[in-house]
Amino acid sequence: MTTRIAERFAALKAERRAGLVIFITAGDPDPKISLDILKGLPKAGADLIELGMPFTDPMADGPAIQAASQRALKAGMTLKKTLGLVRGFRETDKATPLVLMGYYNPIYIYGVDRFLDDALKAGVDGLIMVDMPPEEDAELCLPALRKGLAFIRLATPTTDDARLPRVLSNTSGFIYYVSITGITGTASADLKHIEQAVTRLKRVTPLPVAVGFGINTPDQAAAVARVADAAVVGTAVVKIIADHPKHPSETVAKTLAFIGDLAKGVRTARASA
Amino acid sequence: MSTPNSFRTGPDESGHFGIFGGRYVAETLMPLILELERVYARCKADPFFQKELASFHTHYVGRPSPLYFAERITEKLGGAKIYFKRDELNHTGAHKVNNCLGQALVAKRMGKRHIIAETGAGQHGVATATVCARFDMECTVFMGAEDIERQKPNVERMRLLGATVHPVTSGSATLKDAMNEALRFWVAKAETHFYIIGTVAGPHPYPAMVRDFQSVIGIETRQQMMEAEGRLPDTLVACIGGGSNAMGLFHPFLDEPTVRIIGVEAGGYGIASGKHAASLTGGRPGVLHGNRTYLLQDDDGQIQEAHSISAGLDYPGIGPEHSWLHDMKRAEYVSITDDEALEAFQFCSRLEGIIPALEPSHALAHVMKIAPKLPKDHLLVMNMCGRGDKDLAAVLGHLAKRGRPI
C-alpha cells in the first residue's frame, strides 16, 4: 500500500488546515508543458494532485475538461504516456500524493493487471473512476486495493443514507464528495449544503473528505476549506491552460500563479474564520 | 464457452449478458438506475400496465403491423420466400415508437414528466416527442449539430410536437456525442428527469427494458407466420445500429434452434476502409455509455467515429445482448456497404412500392445476397423497421454523386 495519501492528510491535520487538490488533464495542452505544470504544482501549493486520463467521451465532465481531453489527445496523449508523465513527476517529487482520475475504457484496453502494476511502478497512489460504481467493484476496485492502490469513491447529493454504506465499502484514501448534482465546472455549490454533506459523511467514515465540482475561485476554495478536509479545483485551472496555449512559459507561470492564489485561500481559511 | 439451456434468460441480476452489459455510470445516476430497475420490474409484472400498453399499441401505434409477403422481390430473387415485417407502418414511421411508448408509461408511473432523449437520424427523437405530446410531458431531445443539418425535416417535426431540440457541438457532433450530452444533462437533473434511451444499449436495465418493449415485433411475427405458413420462419434478418429493432425481432426466436438469425451492420465504405459503423465486425469489447459491448476504438481505448450513409446506424457501439449473441454464435452478424444499401433502397421502391428507410435497406441488401441461393420453401423474414421518406433528399444527393440519378 502506498502511504503518501495517509501521510499527507495526517500532516494537514497536524497543521490544522485543509488541503488543496489540483486537477489537470495529463498532456494538456501538450505532454511537455503538462509535465512542467505538474512538476510545479507542489511548490505552488497543491497538497494532492489529481491527474486526468484523457478520454474521447468524458461523460461526467463539462465543456472545459472535455476540451482539455481533446487537446491532450490531439497532442498524442495515451494512457501509457500518462504513466510516463507520472514517472517524470516522481523524479522530482516523492512525497505529494498523485491519483489518476478518468474513465474505465482506456484501462480496460490497456489490461487491468498490467495497468495496476505499471501505475504503481510509476508512482501513482490511487484511482478515481467516474464510471465504476460499487456494483462493478470486482472488475477494477478490488484488484487495485489488493495491489495497494487507493480507490477513491465519489459520493454525490443523490447518494442517500441507504446507499452510502455501499459507496463507502471498499473505499480508501479519501472520499470525494461531488458537491453538485451535475458535471464538472457547471455550477457552484451551496456552502450550507456542503457543510451538511461533510457532516453526514464524517458520521459514517473515518476517511478524510475532499469536496469538488464547482469550486472556481480562491474565496470559494477557502470557504470549502473551512468545512472539509480538502478542496478540489479542476475546471478553473484547466481554463487557464486553455487560455494560453501558444506561450508555454506563460501557460505554466499563469497556471501556477493561480494555484498559488488558491493555496493562499485554503491555507488561511481556518485562521481567518 | 458452453451453450446455455436458454438464450432468453439474460441479463443476470447485475445486468450482464455474459461479460457484456453492466452499469458503468457515474455515482450520481446509480440511485436513479436502481429505482428504474425496481419500477420497471413491477410494470413488467403488472397486468394493468401491460393492458394499457397493449391498448396504445392497437389504437395509437396501429399494431399489429402486417407480415407482408413480398411477392415481386421473391420472384425477382428467385429463391427464398421473403416476408417483410411492416414496422415502417407504425405511427411515426418506424419501430422506435414501440419503445418510447413503453418508457413513457414507466416514466408516468415514476411521476416524472420531464423527458430527455438522444437522437441520430431523428426517428427516436420524433417518436419521443410524439409520446411526450400525447402524455403531456416536457421533452428535450439532444441531437448532434451535424445531424440537425442532415435531418432538417425531423427537427421541424420534433419542434412541431412541442419538443426542445438541443444542438450538440462537442466531439463529432453526431449520435455518440448526443448521447454523451444527454447523459451529462441527466446527471444534473437526475431527480426530476427520465431518460428515454432509444436503443438496446446504456446501463442496465435499459438494454433489457428496450428489448422487452421491442419484442412485440418478434411475438407478432411468430404468430403471423404460423397463420400464414403454419410453421416458424427459417431465417430472420434485421439491420443493426444499436440493435433495438433486431433484438425485438430476434428475441422471441432465440430458443428455436431451426431459426437462423442474421444481424446486418452498416459497413460504410467497407470494413477495410476503416470508415464504417460495424462494431461487431470491425470493433472489440470496451466500456462506453454505461455498458460493456463491442466498440469501434483504437489501441488506447479511445472511441472512434463511426461512418454510415444512414444516420440511424452511425454509432460506434452496439447493444450488449447482441455482443453476447455474437460471442455465443447464436446469431450471425454481417455488414453491408453504403452502396449496397442504396441499391436495395431503389430495388425495393421499384418492385414493391415500399420506400424503405436507409437502415432496413441494409437488411434488404443482405437478403438480396442470400435469398437467390436458398430453396423456394425457405421462409425468410426481414424487419422493415422504418420508412424512407426522411432519407429522400440524402439518397437523391448520393445517387447523383454516383452518376445514378433516379
Side-chain angles (χ1 to χ4, degrees):
Chain A
M1 186 76 179
T2 78
T3 54
R4 279 183 284 254
I5 296 174
E7 281 165 10
R8 180 55 49 99
F9 276 105
L12 291 169
K13 201 168 180 188
E15 287 177 47
R16 295 173 189 284
R17 69 172 178 90
L20 175 65
V21 183
I22 293 296
F23 171 94
I24 61 170
T25 298
D28 171 32
D30 66 45
K32 192 187 167 306
I33 301 174
S34 188
L35 182 60
D36 287 347
I37 295 172
L38 194 57
K39 283 183 167 172
L41 288 178
K43 196 160 163 264
D47 298 302
L48 285 88
I49 295 167
E50 203 186 309
L51 188 62
M53 299 174 277
F55 183 49
T56 38
D57 296 79
M59 282 168 349
D61 285 301
I65 294 180
Q66 289 173 39
S69 251
Q70 297 286 351
R71 286 192 297 272
L73 290 173
K74 218 170 169 181
M77 212 54 196
T78 60
L79 186 51
K80 198 169 163 200
K81 288 182 184 170
T82 297
L83 295 177
L85 216 58
V86 177
R87 274 196 304 277
F89 171 73
R90 284 284 175 237
E91 283 169 10
T92 55
D93 185 302
K94 307 268 188 245
T96 307
L98 184 149
V99 298
L100 294 177
M101 179 172 194
Y103 300 80
Y104 180 48
N105 198 52
I107 293 175
Y108 177 64
I109 294 303
Y110 194 98
V112 167
D113 273 347
R114 188 164 78 94
F115 168 76
L116 293 173
D117 289 339
D118 290 356
L120 264 172
K121 242 184 282 165
V124 171
D125 298 295
L127 302 175
I128 304 178
M129 300 304 300
V130 175
D131 52 0
M132 289 301 254
E135 280 73 6
E136 307 290 349
D137 269 359
E139 189 151 355
L140 179 65
C141 171
L142 298 180
L145 293 176
R146 276 198 296 271
K147 297 227 186 213
L149 278 174
F151 202 85
I152 294 128
R153 196 90 69 185
L154 302 156
T156 73
T158 60
T159 312
D160 56 20
D161 287 338
R163 182 166 170 78
L164 197 52
R166 181 108 205 231
V167 170
L168 293 173
S169 66
N170 302 329
T171 300
S172 62
F174 59 96
I175 298 285
Y176 188 136
Y177 182 68
V178 176
S179 68
I180 54 164
T181 319
I183 53 176
T184 53
T186 47
S188 296
D190 169 50
L191 206 60
K192 188 128 198 147
H193 163 87
I194 293 177
E195 198 168 352
Q196 284 167 353
V198 172
T199 309
R200 185 162 76 101
L201 288 167
K202 287 281 186 188
R203 266 206 300 267
V204 288
T205 176
L207 290 170
V209 178
V211 174
F213 281 47
I215 303 173
N216 296 307
T217 66
D219 283 351
Q220 286 170 339
V224 169
R226 281 185 203 110
V227 299
D229 298 307
V232 188
V233 185
T235 296
V237 176
V238 162
K239 276 183 178 165
I240 293 181
I241 296 174
D243 287 344
H244 302 275
K246 295 259 160 62
H247 313 282
S249 58
E250 199 188 340
T251 306
V252 177
K254 286 257 161 76
T255 307
L256 296 178
F258 175 62
I259 287 156
D261 293 342
L262 291 167
K264 209 184 301 165
V266 167
R267 281 164 199 244
T268 56
R270 291 192 195 162
S272 61
Chain B
M1 223 177 293
S2 64
T3 307
N5 291 327
S6 169
F7 289 97
R8 304 184 63 226
T9 55
D12 63 20
E13 66 276 20
S14 61
H16 289 89
F17 303 91
I19 66 161
F20 301 104
R23 286 177 286 218
Y24 300 88
V25 294
E27 173 58 26
T28 311
L29 295 177
M30 270 316 295
L32 191 73
I33 282 170
L34 293 171
E35 190 199 351
L36 175 61
E37 189 185 346
R38 282 190 298 270
V39 174
Y40 174 60
R42 278 206 301 275
C43 292
K44 196 175 171 179
D46 179 358
F48 291 102
F49 179 90
Q50 297 300 338
K51 210 175 143 193
E52 191 179 9
L53 183 60
S55 171
F56 276 103
H57 276 165
T58 309
H59 303 290
Y60 192 65
V61 178
R63 301 210 72 95
S65 68
L67 183 70
Y68 163 74
F69 171 41
E71 195 174 354
R72 294 199 64 214
I73 284 187
T74 298
E75 262 171 37
K76 182 89 182 173
L77 296 177
K81 193 167 181 186
I82 297 160
Y83 282 86
F84 290 164
K85 179 61 175 162
R86 301 285 307 275
D87 254 53
E88 102 280 11
L89 291 176
N90 292 341
H91 181 40
T92 74
H95 69 291
K96 293 288 185 187
V97 71
N98 302 331
N99 166 49
C100 293
L101 190 57
Q103 289 199 49
L105 291 175
V106 174
K108 213 171 103 183
R109 296 269 168 126
M110 292 174 85
K112 304 213 166 168
R113 56 171 309 280
H114 296 275
I115 302 292
I116 53 177
E118 83 295 334
T119 198
Q123 290 305 104
H124 174 59
V126 167
T128 306
T130 299
V131 298
C132 285
R134 176 59 186 79
F135 295 114
D136 189 23
M137 291 166 165
E138 194 186 287
C139 179
T140 308
V141 178
F142 292 83
M143 188 169 183
E146 185 81 9
D147 288 336
I148 288 181
E149 245 352 272
R150 287 197 283 189
Q151 309 283 336
K152 273 232 165 78
N154 272 344
V155 175
E156 282 152 8
R157 285 167 83 193
M158 286 185 267
R159 289 190 175 133
L160 179 71
L161 292 160
T164 304
V165 180
H166 191 107
V168 175
T169 51
S170 59
S172 58
T174 57
L175 180 55
K176 161 178 90 86
D177 309 284
M179 190 143 182
N180 286 333
E181 212 53 39
L183 283 164
R184 288 181 187 120
F185 185 86
W186 197 31
V187 166
K189 313 268 184 186
E191 303 198 47
T192 51
H193 286 55
F194 188 101
Y195 182 9
I196 298 188
I197 292 181
T199 192
V200 285
H204 177 64
Y206 280 99
M209 178 170 68
V210 176
R211 173 200 71 201
D212 291 348
F213 288 137
Q214 292 296 0
S215 289
V216 66
I217 299 171
I219 293 168
E220 287 175 5
T221 299
R222 198 183 164 107
Q223 195 183 345
Q224 290 166 323
M225 190 54 101
M226 289 308 286
E227 281 163 19
E229 300 278 354
R231 65 180 183 92
L232 293 176
D234 298 301
T235 299
L236 305 174
V237 182
C239 65
I240 299 194
S244 70
N245 92 81
M247 196 49 73
L249 176 65
F250 298 168
H251 195 259
F253 294 97
L254 288 178
D255 285 339
E256 301 294 348
T258 61
V259 181
R260 184 181 177 196
I261 295 176
I262 305 173
V264 183
E265 297 191 291
Y269 298 136
I271 303 300
S273 72
K275 291 197 179 308
H276 59 84
S279 325
L280 288 176
T281 317
R284 58 171 160 157
V287 174
L288 180 73
H289 293 156
N291 61 165
R292 185 192 340 262
T293 192
Y294 277 80
L295 297 171
L296 302 181
Q297 55 184 322
D298 67 15
D299 291 339
D300 189 43
Q302 306 297 339
I303 309 304
Q304 287 170 326
E305 305 291 333
H307 164 80
S308 170
I309 191 169
S310 145
L313 304 181
D314 205 346
Y315 180 69
I318 182 168
E321 195 167 5
H322 284 296
S323 292
W324 181 70
L325 291 172
H326 168 78
D327 280 12
M328 298 303 294
K329 301 198 183 341
R330 174 58 189 103
E332 302 159 48
Y333 294 88
V334 298
S335 68
I336 282 294
T337 64
D338 289 353
D339 277 333
E340 291 167 328
L342 270 176
E343 199 186 319
F345 183 96
Q346 283 179 292
F347 182 76
C348 187
S349 303
R350 291 278 175 92
L351 279 174
E352 295 289 349
I354 296 171
I355 301 174
L358 277 171
E359 290 80 8
S361 296
H362 285 71
L364 182 60
H366 189 67
V367 170
M368 288 160 67
K369 281 187 186 174
I370 61 171
K373 291 175 246 163
L374 293 167
K376 286 193 191 314
D377 61 351
H378 188 101
L379 303 179
L380 187 154
V381 177
M382 188 211 95
N383 196 15
M384 182 61 75
C385 61
R387 66 174 190 229
D389 316 38
K390 68 175 176 70
D391 295 314
L392 221 50
V395 166
L396 295 181
H398 286 298
L399 290 176
K401 233 188 296 172
R402 287 162 169 81
R404 290 176 5 216
I406 45 174

